[in-house]
Structure formats: C-alpha cells, structure tokens
Amino acid sequence: MAEYNAPVRDTVFVINELIGLQQYSALPGFEGAADDLISTLLEEAGKFCTEVLAPLNQIGDAQGCTRHSDGSVTTPTGFREAYAQLREAGWATLAQDPAFGGQGLPHVLNFAVEEFMNGANQAFAMYPGLATGAVAAIMAKGSESQKQTYLPRMIAGEWLGTMNLTEPQCGTDLGLIRTKAEPRGDESYAITGSKIFISAGEHDLTGNIIHLVLARTPDAPEGSKGISLFLVPKVLVNADGSLGERNAVSCGSIEEKMGIHGNATCAMNYDGATGWLVGEENKGLAAMFIMMNAARLGVGIQGLGQADAAYQNAAAYALERRQGRALTGPAEPDQPADPIIVHPDVRRMLMDAKAFTEGMRALVLWGALQVDLSHKASSEQERQQADELVGLLTPVIKGYGTDKGYEVATNMQQIFGGHGYIREWGMEQFVRDARIAMIYEGANGVQAMDLCGRKLALNGGRAIQAFFRMVDEECAPAEQDAACADIAARLGKANGELKAATMWFMQNAMTNPNNLGAGAHHYMHIAGIVALGLMWLRMAKIAARNLAAGTDDAGFYQAKLTTARYFAERFTPDCGALRRRIETGSASMMELPPEAFVHR
C-alpha cells in the first residue's frame, strides 16, 4: 500500500528561509504568522493529511462514489468522517476573510496545506478546494445579500461549492453554452440546461452545495459576450438562513473516469432551478475567471502533490529493493544483490523527481506570496507587480507543473518495475490521478496559449520584462560566489533562451499567428525551467550560506546545494533545444491537409 508523509521540513524551509514570511509581518494578515505558528500549523496539517487522508486514498480509488435512484451520491468509506475532522479543525478557513469567519492568514500557508492534502488524497482535496474558488467569485462579484447569506456557511465548511461551465457541446469554447436563465420577475431566474464534468457536483459531505452556473439570459448576445453567472443552491435557503426546499437541480449520472474516483464528477441537470445573478448580466465570464484562476493554481498544486507522493514511495522502494550490482562493484558484498538506488538510471529518475518537486514547491509558495502581496503590499507599485507576476506565472504553474508532475509520477512507477503496474502498490493510481491535472481547468495547450497569446503582451510586456530583470539581478552577484557560480551562469543562459524565444515571437507571430501556436507549449516549458531555476538558485545561496556558517542540519543543506547543481546541469540545457524548436515555426506542422491524418 502506498504511503504519504507530508513534507513539513522542506515546506518550513521554503516559508521561513526562502520566502522569509516574517519580513512581511507589518502587512495585514501576516502579523500572526510567527515562526512557531508556522511550524505548529504545518506539523498539525501534515499529521492530519498523513494519518487521516492518506489511508483513504486507495479506498476512495477502489470504491468510488455511488449515485442512488433518488439522485443522491454517497462518497467512499471514511470521507464523511474525514471531512468532519477537516471542518472542525478549520483547515479550509486559513486564508479566508475574517469578516465572514475566516482566519485571515497568508495564502502561503493555505497553499502549503493544499499541497499536503493533494499529496495525501487528491480526490478528497477537490471537495474543499472547489469551494475556495466559489467563495472567491462570490466575494468579488456577489451582492451584499449573497455574501451575508452564503459566505459564512461556505467558509465554515458547512456548505461546499462548485463551478458549472462545461456542456456536452463545449468545453474551452464557452461561447457555445446553451444553458438558459429565464427571469421570473422577483430577481430570481429559472435555470434550465445540462452541465458535464462537474467535480463534487453532488455528495453527502455537507447539507448544501452552492453551484455557480454559466447560462444565457433570453436576449443575451451570441458568443462569450452573452454569458452570465448564476448562484444556484442545491437546497434553497430561507430568509432566516435555514435550509428550505430542495432546488430543481440533480445529478443525472457520475462520470466513469480514469482516476480521482473518490471525487463525484457529475453530469448535472437544471430543470428550471432557482438561481440568482452574480455580478452584472452578460459579464459572467469575467466573474467565472476569478474562480478559474484560483482553480488553475490549485491544479498546479495537484501536479506537485501527486509527484511528491509518487517520489516518496519510489525513493523508499529504491532503498529496499535489491536487484543486480552497482556498476563500480558490489555496494553491499555481504548481500545477494545491491539496492536499486545504486543504479545511475534509477538515480536519474529520483533526482529528476527531487529537483522538480522541491523546486516546484518553492515556486508555488513564492507564487502564493505574490497573491498575498497583490492585495496587501504597502504600495500600489508593489501590488501591481505582484499581480502581474502571478498572472504571468499562473499558466506556467498549472501547465508546466502538471506536465512535469505527471512525468514524475510515471517515472516513479517505472522504478517499481512490474510492481508499479500492480494496483496494491498504489503507484498506478498516482499516474491515473495525475493525468487529469493536465486536462481540466483549461488543458495545458490552452495554458500555453494563455501565456504566449495574452500574458506576454499584456501592458506592453511589463510582466515578462520584470521577470527577466528579476532573474538577471539574481544571477549577476551569484556568479561571483564560488558555491553558486555555475548554477547562476547556467540559469542566466536559460534566461537568455527565454528572452530570445520571446523576441522571436515578437518578430514572427504577428505575420503568422500559427507560429505562436506552434511554439507556445515549448515556450511554457522554457518559462517553467527558468522559474524553477530561479527558485533553485535562491535555495542554493541559502544552503551555501548555512553550510559556510556551520549548521546542525548540514545534510539537509548539502542536499539542497547538490540538487540545485543537478537542476542547473540537467534541466536548463533543455531551454536551448526548446527555443530551437520554436524557431522552426509552423510550416511543416500545418502543411499537411486534414485528410492526410486519416489512416488509409
């Protein structure tokens, strides 16, 4: 059976030493984030995820969710009890607004707990995770009445939430939505239509589920300009806040999926269900993107969580499993064979996984800091830069993070050999669960186009230019430090490849937009490598400083320095090859006529 141990030590290192959360103590919400609170909070969250959620992961996968004849859904054994513990402990309230019952702590701490939950049990983590996005949308666009009625219960975890976008005929192209919203004359609407792929659409964890649904009013313009967002509760709420009648929304079926079986992914039917407009009519897409952007960061965290869980199990297996002898001679001559960790190809996969997961954890938590600073930094300039950086890096965290997360999961399965293919070991579940993260909340090709087609040019390219400067300013002094010079030089060269790819787009995408589309995926990966490289350079500098000063945890810091060197040597060279792929353009990719792809 697969096991999971929350990476508390590494997370504390990132928050306290890399990010230095204490330096922001003068900002609202940061004043309570002292060193002892951070350590205690993460240790308790890690204990909950390791001891309560992780043992339910394979149970949830094997059982799945059950839909009954009345449309109700039962979650797997133990999920209800685990959710009750989560709610009682307040894990879902960490970064929420105190005005509605939240704890008001930095998003950095919330993202850390999200990683633990996703590493322990991704299917379970999706239930409270989706509610976080729904809360953000209502907070930003909801009326005062909607906020007072729904947010306290949702933040407390009494009610959960969903987002309903996809329909059978449309996914990414939301302009094709057909669900209708007919005004009733009393500020409510009758919502009629069908939605598919709705995560946590129906379940038994809470007494109510607040659905946020995209639909069209009768005279709405065609396309995406005619979409509105509606709040549609599973159970109608009385004026005094108590639950009333069941609304006309139901689960028609549970999707049969490749993975995340413990989450109820539903086809939802709206049969004249009562709903209320959120925000302005025909402005629903902007409101929904608030939810989607939060969800995209959350999905990037899922990629990290699955990669780390798979890595932990593969590393433990490689230390125990004996096959063959080390190429340099028997490592343990008194044993019939050596542990497979002596073999360079096993080490390659483990080092790739370690370099990605620790670098990605740093990027995710640093990204969470930017979310905090975009709202709470003391100056408008700081808030603007943080907002633009997190906007630029969201598709990178989601797209690159889940591409690599899935790759790590499959490589960790490979280390198990034939046992990795057998269900009882749990490795094949990590692969299946990780695969969805590359698809939902905007497939990774969409993320790449969002990065290259929208984010690069936004505000005259201000965000990407700021990112270039940030990397250059980190590299220049580090090249004078013997411990980090080579790491900095390699990162500087990778940043140069990113700049060159950006310039090539500027010169070639306007005349032929297919050149942008053909290179967007590769560009996203260069950006991901440079972003992780920046985190690794910063971690290497901290590690070198601690080792030079003397430390009781020399093994930890030496491993950081070695892994930073590995990332620089093994990951950054890919940037040159990826840039050269971009510069081949789209000619051969787009030349064949469509019928040439059909087998004859």
Side-chain angles (χ1 to χ4, degrees):
M1 179 177 177
E3 296 184 353
Y4 175 77
N5 290 292
V8 175
R9 172 67 180 92
D10 196 54
T11 304
V12 170
F13 162 75
V14 172
I15 292 175
N16 285 347
E17 299 189 60
L18 178 68
I19 293 174
L21 203 63
Q22 300 76 15
Q23 67 183 296
Y24 303 100
S25 60
L27 300 180
F30 285 79
E31 61 272 5
D35 285 2
D36 54 348
L37 171 73
I38 292 169
S39 296
T40 300
L41 185 149
L42 293 177
E43 286 169 6
E44 289 302 311
K47 183 178 179 181
F48 171 71
C49 293
T50 299
E51 298 179 2
V52 178
L53 298 188
L56 299 176
N57 194 35
Q58 285 181 274
I59 293 171
D61 184 61
Q63 290 185 5
C65 296
T66 304
R67 179 187 178 276
H68 305 287
S69 58
D70 62 356
S72 64
V73 171
T74 302
T75 52
T77 300
F79 273 43
R80 285 191 69 185
E81 293 78 7
Y83 182 77
Q85 290 185 53
L86 178 145
R87 180 185 154 198
E88 183 178 350
W91 292 121
T93 71
L94 293 180
Q96 298 292 0
D97 191 338
F100 297 99
Q103 299 182 49
L105 290 170
H107 282 84
V108 175
L109 298 177
N110 189 61
F111 274 35
V113 175
E114 277 195 47
E115 186 210 328
F116 295 177
M117 290 177 62
N118 278 290
N121 192 327
Q122 178 177 326
F124 177 93
M126 290 170 66
Y127 291 103
L130 284 159
T132 300
V135 165
I138 296 170
M139 190 80 73
K141 298 294 184 178
S143 67
E144 192 58 35
S145 174
Q146 289 169 349
K147 292 177 185 178
Q148 295 299 331
T149 300
Y150 297 100
L151 290 182
R153 298 284 187 87
M154 295 177 74
I155 288 173
E158 292 179 43
W159 300 343
L160 286 174
T162 71
M163 59 177 174
N164 285 232
L165 290 75
T166 308
E167 298 182 7
Q169 78 285 352
C170 71
T172 300
D173 190 354
L174 295 172
L176 300 177
I177 279 174
R178 295 175 185 163
T179 299
K180 298 297 183 184
E182 297 281 348
R184 286 179 165 154
D186 61 354
E187 297 187 352
S188 73
Y189 291 75
I191 312 298
T192 302
S194 297
K195 301 286 184 177
I196 60 171
F197 306 158
I198 308 306
S199 300
E202 175 61 37
H203 53 75
D204 59 352
L205 301 184
T206 57
N208 206 357
I209 304 170
I210 311 306
H211 303 289
L212 293 185
V213 184
L214 290 183
R216 294 184 179 281
T217 52
D219 299 321
E222 292 296 321
S224 60
K225 294 181 179 179
I227 298 174
S228 299
L229 181 65
F230 297 89
L231 187 155
V232 187
K234 170 185 170 179
V235 182
L236 297 173
V237 181
N238 296 322
D240 63 359
S242 62
L243 294 180
E245 297 179 358
R246 175 68 189 259
N247 207 352
V249 53
S250 61
C251 168
S253 64
I254 296 178
E255 308 284 4
E256 294 288 340
K257 309 187 299 293
M258 173 181 172
I260 54 169
H261 296 154
N263 193 270
T265 307
C266 302
M268 302 297 294
N269 297 323
Y270 292 84
D271 301 307
T274 301
W276 289 268
L277 183 67
V278 177
E280 298 179 51
E281 189 173 347
N282 300 327
K283 298 294 179 68
L285 207 54
M288 184 58 81
F289 264 109
I290 294 169
M291 233 184 138
M292 289 180 69
N293 285 332
R296 285 171 175 175
L297 289 171
V299 173
I301 294 171
Q302 289 179 355
L304 167 61
Q306 293 304 295
D308 189 57
Y311 165 68
Q312 290 184 28
N313 284 274
Y317 184 81
L319 288 165
E320 297 174 359
R321 177 71 169 175
R322 295 181 179 276
Q323 292 281 293
R325 290 296 190 185
L327 297 178
T328 52
E332 298 183 18
D334 58 328
Q335 297 293 328
D338 291 333
I340 62 172
I341 200 165
V342 303
H343 302 306
D345 197 56
V346 172
R347 285 291 187 111
R348 171 187 64 83
M349 291 185 281
L350 287 173
M351 285 299 294
D352 280 357
K354 183 176 177 65
F356 168 73
T357 55
E358 294 181 17
M360 187 67 183
R361 178 173 299 118
L363 180 62
V364 162
L365 295 176
W366 181 78
L369 175 66
Q370 305 314 305
V371 174
D372 285 314
L373 293 179
S374 70
H375 297 289
K376 298 177 178 180
S378 54
S379 73
E380 175 59 30
Q381 182 180 358
E382 289 175 292
R383 291 192 294 272
Q384 176 186 284
Q385 178 168 308
D387 185 61
E388 290 177 355
L389 278 172
V390 78
L392 178 75
L393 291 174
T394 291
V396 177
I397 288 171
K398 195 282 184 185
Y400 178 77
T402 60
D403 276 355
K404 296 297 290 186
Y406 175 71
E407 179 186 306
V408 166
T410 58
N411 282 341
M412 298 304 95
Q413 182 189 33
Q414 184 79 10
I415 286 174
F416 277 71
H419 293 296
Y421 199 64
I422 303 302
R423 178 163 293 186
E424 69 179 275
W425 288 89
M427 300 306 292
E428 55 84 39
Q429 183 189 346
F430 294 134
V431 174
R432 289 185 289 106
D433 286 355
R435 188 63 184 86
I436 183 62
M438 299 166 68
I439 298 173
Y440 60 10
E441 304 308 338
N444 284 356
V446 174
Q447 302 301 321
M449 284 303 296
D450 177 47
L451 172 64
C452 297
R454 293 183 64 249
K455 301 298 176 57
L456 290 186
L458 206 60
N459 299 312
R462 193 164 60 205
I464 190 64
Q465 293 298 329
F467 182 70
F468 291 154
R469 286 194 300 273
M470 184 179 295
V471 177
D472 286 338
E473 289 170 3
E474 197 77 39
C475 289
E479 289 186 14
Q480 309 307 313
D481 179 352
C484 301
D486 185 62
I487 298 168
R490 291 175 184 273
L491 175 59
K493 185 175 181 179
N495 196 36
E497 303 288 7
L498 185 61
K499 292 176 186 176
T502 307
M503 182 61 69
W504 192 89
F505 278 156
M506 290 175 63
Q507 295 169 343
N508 295 276
M510 292 293 288
T511 55
N512 183 359
N514 280 339
N515 285 332
L516 184 78
H521 171 84
H522 304 312
Y523 186 95
M524 180 177 71
H525 275 245
I526 300 176
I529 292 168
V530 174
L532 262 67
L534 175 62
M535 297 299 113
W536 271 117
L537 177 56
R538 289 175 174 176
M539 289 190 283
K541 289 162 72 174
I542 295 166
R545 189 163 60 244
N546 277 281
L547 289 168
T551 172
D552 293 334
D553 203 358
F556 177 86
Y557 291 108
Q558 186 58 58
K560 282 292 179 194
L561 195 56
T562 300
T563 309
R565 193 173 78 245
Y566 180 89
F567 183 91
E569 293 170 353
R570 291 282 180 147
F571 281 63
T572 62
D574 289 347
C575 293
L578 290 166
R579 190 259 302 166
R580 287 190 289 275
R581 288 188 188 183
I582 291 170
E583 292 177 356
T584 64
S586 61
S588 62
M589 185 181 294
M590 304 304 292
E591 183 176 332
L592 291 179
E595 58 270 20
F597 292 92
V598 179
H599 181 68
R600 298 180 186 278

